[in-house]
Structures are given as structure tokens and as C-alpha cells.
């Protein structure tokens, strides 16, 4: 059994979901401070029709092509959200909710069609819904890892620029940072992270990989740099452990396990985190109470 | 007579379908310290944002030192309204001030020790040296505003736009900010300030620009800061707002 767990394929797959976790943890911090957490959820759902349509066209599970299809579909979703919220009275969150549901519905509908077509059942397209890291082959792992490393690289070399862009866009613009370009780059890395993650984690739960590590990291640090590092580490741990556990059973979906691990890290952070974690808050309150009683006692003695 | 630092020609802007600025024309002379005043909704912030390409204009153009904005971006410093950023962002005062030097540091490069030192000196000038490593979320409103001022100072611009720097700050901060503005002014910098307190206009500014969707009047404070212009800009409400004038 142990040899089954540690066969080379599982090892590779775990490595790739670890790198994916680093990338999604980092980009999640950007999304967190852009206050666009729902956006990542909308875009990951919006990727599904692209995956299925590409499969229907090329009739084979070529991951690179499916990723490109997913990317186009997610980008269309992003543009549609922008367009709806700019051109109508509908607010951005309502637009995101609509796009999320409509694209996902369309994706599931097309998936039914694809599954009925010849060879569709064996396509493994279903794995894009909840994620099936074990279904990945070595070339998939390679594509995923390379793209994730590109995302990480873009965030690391532009660290100072991302910080300025997230904290004060108007001031950044005054300094000559091209805000339109940064908006585009942000959407690009967000969509890239989502589409490379959907095979392993699935469209439904991919957003959790972006949101939960970033939120958890807030409980451990006061600096943006450390937030990026901690969030990436949490993403990496969730990715690695979740994939490891899901590889133990045949047909166990990867996404839910990764999310459960991420949620566990969140609960630990919420309770034990050194920045406004519940335990620290409780202890501080106790101390304040003690000092208060001490002060009253001193006053009474006087 | 030196040529104007800013010339605004026929500038108009709107939010959705509401016109906020109509045919705004004015020129700013070098080395002036100008207050932009007007009632709520007069378009003061929109004027600044439109002039700095942060809000689209419907008509008109703005020239700085005889050139379009894009060519002189680096010579212009901007202090946005304090409420325009998220002060929960995880960083400290020194880091925010260092952002003012990013143009000088160069894109994709990291700030050096001397940049950090410059930023620290700017904080000290604003009386904030002790707070350099304090989280920005833990600063008071006045201290946050001083951090913004320090960030503008390190930019070493020739022309400064400030959007309500004195709104909601404590008396000590107000004095510190005004001293800084006067110092900037003394070394030849031009400063435009959106200002809300009519009581202090005469003490603080040598020029006034009355705005209510369009220019009501503009000129030297002693000439244009009259009851007549104030009433024209603010309408009847002024009796309630500024009894002291």
C-alpha cells in the first residue's frame, strides 16, 4: 500500500498542487486587498463552459488546450461582469452572482452533452467539477507547474508595485504606474491561477484556494510581505496534504480534501493567531480586567 | 508676469448623467497657495481628479508648465482624501512614505537604505518620527494625514494637489500641515488645496478659487474673498454655515 502512495505519479501530483497552493495563496492576497473575493469564485465557475466547449471541438483531453479554453471563458466572464456593472444599474456583486450561476449552468449543460457523445464518459471531464488530481498525467503536471511558477514570478518581481497598486491606486497612477495595465495583469494572473487549478481542485472549490489561505494569514502578521509568504505556505500545505489524502482512495475528489485542510488551518489561525486571534483577544481582555480590579482595589485602599 | 503653472481650458466632467463640472477655466500662477472652496457637491474633488486624469473629462484640456499631464506627471504630487484608501492595509507609516519615492527608486527595483532614510526624515518633519514603525491602522486620523503629507514631501514635486488635508484632523496636525504648506510655498512650490473651512481661508491661503460646478470667482484672497462671492458660491446656506464672516 505504501508503495502505491509513494509511486512517482503521486509524488509529482503532490508537488504540482503544492506549487499551485503557493500561487493561489499569493494571488489570493492580491484579491483580498482588491476586495474582490467573490470575483475569484465567479471566474472559476465561468471557466467550466470553456473547458467543455474545447473538449467538444478537439475531442480529446489535451490539458493545455482545455486550459486555454477555460481561460477564454473566464475572461469572457470577467468582461461580462465589468460590462453589466458599468452599463446598467446592477451592482458588481449581483453581476458576479449572475455570471457565476449562468456560466456554471451552461457548463453543466454542455457537460451532459459531452458525456453522451462517443468516448465522452471516459473523458474524465467530470473531474473538472470537484477536481481529481490523481487523474493528472505527467505532462499535465508539467504544464500546471510551469504556469504556476510564472504566476509566482510575476507577483514576486512586482511586489513593490502590487503593494502600491493595492494600497493607493490613485497615488500609484500619479507616480506613473500604468493602472490599466496593472488591472489587466491582475486579471490575467488571477485567471491563470484559476484555470491551472481547476483540474486538480475543481471549478466549484477553486475559489477556496484563493480566499481561505489569504484570510488565514491575516491572523499571523502585520506586514503585506509576510502575509504573502504565510498565505502561500498555507496554500502549499493545503494543496500537498489534501492531495495526499485524496490519493489514498480511488476516485476520491481532491478539491474537497484540500478545502477541508485549508479550513482547518483557518480555524487554527482564527483561534491561535497572534494578530487578533480569539485566544489572544481573550487573554488581553482578562489582563485588562485584572488590571482594572487591581486599580479599583488600590483606590479603595487609599 | 510669469507663465501659469496650470491652465485649465473649458473643462467639463460628469458622473453618469449628472454634470458635475461645467466649462471650468482658470490659471494658476507659480508659487501660489490656493484654496478651492465651495459647498458640498460643488465638484471640488472631481475638479482635482479630472485635472489629474483620475476621472474622465467630457470637454476641455489641462496644461501643466505648458505641457499635457502625461509629460509632467512626475513633477506633480497628489495627496488624496484620507478616506480614499484602506487604512487596514498591513503596513507601517515608514513604508507608506517610502511609496512616495517609488518613482525615483524605479519600477521593479527595491528601495535602498538611503530611500528609507529620506522617508524617515520626511516623517520627522511632520512630527511623526516616533511612529515610523507603527501600523497605519493604529494611527489617528491626524497622524494618517501627516503620513500622507510626508509621502507627498518625499516626492519632491513642483506642484501639489491636496484633497481636504485638514478635514477631521486635530488642531496640532492642522498647524503642522499648514506650516509644511507654507514652507513648500516659500521655496517656490505651487500648492492647490481643497478646503472646507471658510473661517481659516484668509489666514492660510493667498489665492482662493470659488467653485460651484463652474468657477464663481478666482484670484488673490484679499480681492475675491468677499461676502458677495461667498454668497454666490454657497447660496443662502452661508448664513448658517459661516456666521463669523
Amino acid at each position: 500500500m505504501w508503495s502505491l502512495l509513494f509511486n512517482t505519479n503521486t509524488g509529482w501530483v503532490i508537488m504540482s498542487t503544492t506549487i499551485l497552493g503557493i500561487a493561489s495563496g499569493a494571488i489570493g492576497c492580491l484579491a483580498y486587498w482588491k476586495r474582490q473575493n467573490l470575483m475569484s469564485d465567479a471566474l472559476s465557475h465561468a471557466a467550466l463552459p470553456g473547458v467543455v466547449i474545447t473538449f467538444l471541438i478537439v475531442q480529446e483531453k489535451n490539458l493545455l488546450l482545455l486550459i486555454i479554453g477555460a481561460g477564454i471563458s473566464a475572461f469572457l466572464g470577467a468582461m461580462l461582469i465589468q460590462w453589466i456593472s458599468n452599463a446598467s444599474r446592477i451592482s458588481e456583486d449581483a453581476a458576479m452572482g449572475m455570471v457565476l450561476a449562468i456560466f456554471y449552468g451552461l457548463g453543466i449543460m454542455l457537460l451532459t452533452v459531452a458525456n453522451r457523445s462517443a468516448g465522452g464518459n471516459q473523458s474524465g471531464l467530470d473531474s473538472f467539477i470537484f477536481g481529481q488530481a490523481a487523474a493528472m498525467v505527467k505532462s499535465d503536471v508539467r504544464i500546471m507547474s510551469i504556469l504556476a511558477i510564472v504566476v509566482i514570478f510575476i507577483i514576486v518581481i512586482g511586489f513593490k508595485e502590487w503593494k502600491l497598486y493595492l494600497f493607493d491606486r490613485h497615488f500609484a497612477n500619479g507616480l506613473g504606474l500604468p493602472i490599466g495595465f496593472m488591472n489587466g495583469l491582475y486579471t490575467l494572473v488571477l485567471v491563470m491561477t484559476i484555470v491551472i487549478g481547476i483540474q486538480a481542485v475543481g471549478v466549484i472549490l477553486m475559489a477556496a484556494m484563493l480566499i481561505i489561505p489569504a484570510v488565514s494569514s491575516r491572523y499571523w502578521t502585520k506586514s503585506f510581505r509576510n502575509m504573502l509568504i504565510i498565505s502561500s505556505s498555507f496554500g502549499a500545505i493545503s494543496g500537498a496534504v489534501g492531495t495526499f489524502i485524496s490519493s489514498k482512495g480511488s476516485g476520491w475528489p481532491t478539491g474537497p480534501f484540500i478545502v477541508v485542510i485549508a479550513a482547518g488551518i483557518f480555524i487554527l489561525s482564527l483561534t491561535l493567531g497572534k494578530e487578533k486571534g480569539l485566544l489572544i483577544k481573550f487573554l488581553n481582555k482578562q489582563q485588562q480586567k485584572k488590571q482594572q480590579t487591581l486599580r479599583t482595589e488600590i483606590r479603595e485602599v487609599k | 508676469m510669469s507663465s501659469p503653472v496650470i491652465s485649465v481650458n473649458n473643462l467639463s466632467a460628469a458622473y453618469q448623467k449628472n454634470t458635475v463640472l461645467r466649462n471650468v477655466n482658470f490659471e494658476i500662477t507659480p508659487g501660489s497657495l490656493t484654496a478651492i472652496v465651495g459647498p458640498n457637491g460643488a465638484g471640488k474633488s472631481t475638479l482635482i481628479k479630472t485635472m489629474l486624469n483620475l476621472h474622465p473629462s467630457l470637454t476641455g484640456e489641462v496644461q501643466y508648465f505648458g505641457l499635457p499631464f502625461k509629460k509632467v506627471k512626475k513633477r506633480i504630487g497628489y495627496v488624496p482624501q484620507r478616506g480614499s484608501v484602506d487604512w487596514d492595509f498591513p503596513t507601517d507609516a515608514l513604508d507608506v512614505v517610502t511609496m512616495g519615492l517609488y518613482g525615483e527608486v524605479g519600477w521593479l527595483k527595491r528601495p535602498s537604505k538611503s530611500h528609507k532614510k529620506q522617508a524617515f526624515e520626511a516623517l520627522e518633519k511632520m512630527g511623526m518620527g516616533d511612529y515610523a514603525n507603527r501600523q497605519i491602522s493604529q494611527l489617528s486620523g491626524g497622524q494618517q494625514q501627516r503620513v500622507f503629507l510626508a509621502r507627498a514631501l518625499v516626492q519632491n514635486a513642483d506642484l501639489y494637489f491636496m484633497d481636504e488635508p485638514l478635514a477631521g484632523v486635530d488642531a496640532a496636525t492642522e498647524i503642522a500641515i499648514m506650516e509644511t504648506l507654507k514652507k513648500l510655498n516659500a521655496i517656490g512650490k505651487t500648492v492647490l488645496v481643497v478646503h472646507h473651512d471658510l473661517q481659516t481661508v484668509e489666514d492660510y491661503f493667498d489665492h482662493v478659487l470659488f467653485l460651484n460646478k463652474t468657477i464663481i470667482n478666482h484670484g488673490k484672497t484679499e480681492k475675491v474673498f468677499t461676502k458677495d462671492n461667498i454668497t454666490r458660491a454657497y447660496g443662502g446656506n452661508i448664513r448658517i454655515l459661516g456666521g463669523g464672516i
Side-chain angles (χ1 to χ4, degrees), chain A residues 202-253:
Chain A
V203 294
I204 296 185
L205 295 173
M206 187 52 214
M209 279 290 270
L210 293 151
I211 300 170
I212 303 176
V215 173
S216 309
S217 69
R218 273 285 268 163
Y219 288 96
W220 298 101
T221 179
K222 286 178 180 172
S223 97
F224 182 59
R225 185 175 150 269
N226 292 345
M227 193 178 158
L228 272 176
I229 294 169
I230 294 169
S231 175
S232 300
S233 315
F234 286 167
I237 295 168
S238 314
V241 178
T243 311
F244 177 74
I245 296 174
S246 84
S247 72
K248 279 187 151 183
S250 81
W252 285 7

Side-chain angles (χ1 to χ4, degrees), chain A residues 23-34:
Chain A
S24 60
I27 188 89
C29 285
L30 306 190
Y32 180 92
W33 289 109
K34 219 171 172 319

Side-chain angles (χ1 to χ4, degrees), chain A residues 129-158:
Chain A
I129 296 173
F130 285 117
Q132 193 82 66
M136 294 198 298
V137 294
K138 206 163 181 178
S139 66
D140 296 351
V141 166
R142 197 179 302 138
I143 292 168
M144 214 176 112
S145 305
I146 291 171
L147 291 177
I149 288 168
V150 170
V151 169
I152 295 164
F153 181 73
I154 291 174
I155 295 173
V156 169
I157 63 156

Side-chain angles (χ1 to χ4, degrees), chain B residues 32-69:
Chain B
S32 57
L33 181 52
T34 306
I36 301 174
V37 297
N40 288 336
K44 301 182 297 274
S45 292
T46 311
L47 174 64
I48 288 195
K49 284 187 184 152
T50 312
M51 288 172 74
L52 295 172
N53 274 9
L54 296 171
H55 184 79
S57 59
L58 292 177
T59 65
E61 56 157 16
V62 185
Q63 287 204 324
Y64 300 90
F65 315 99
L67 295 164
F69 175 73

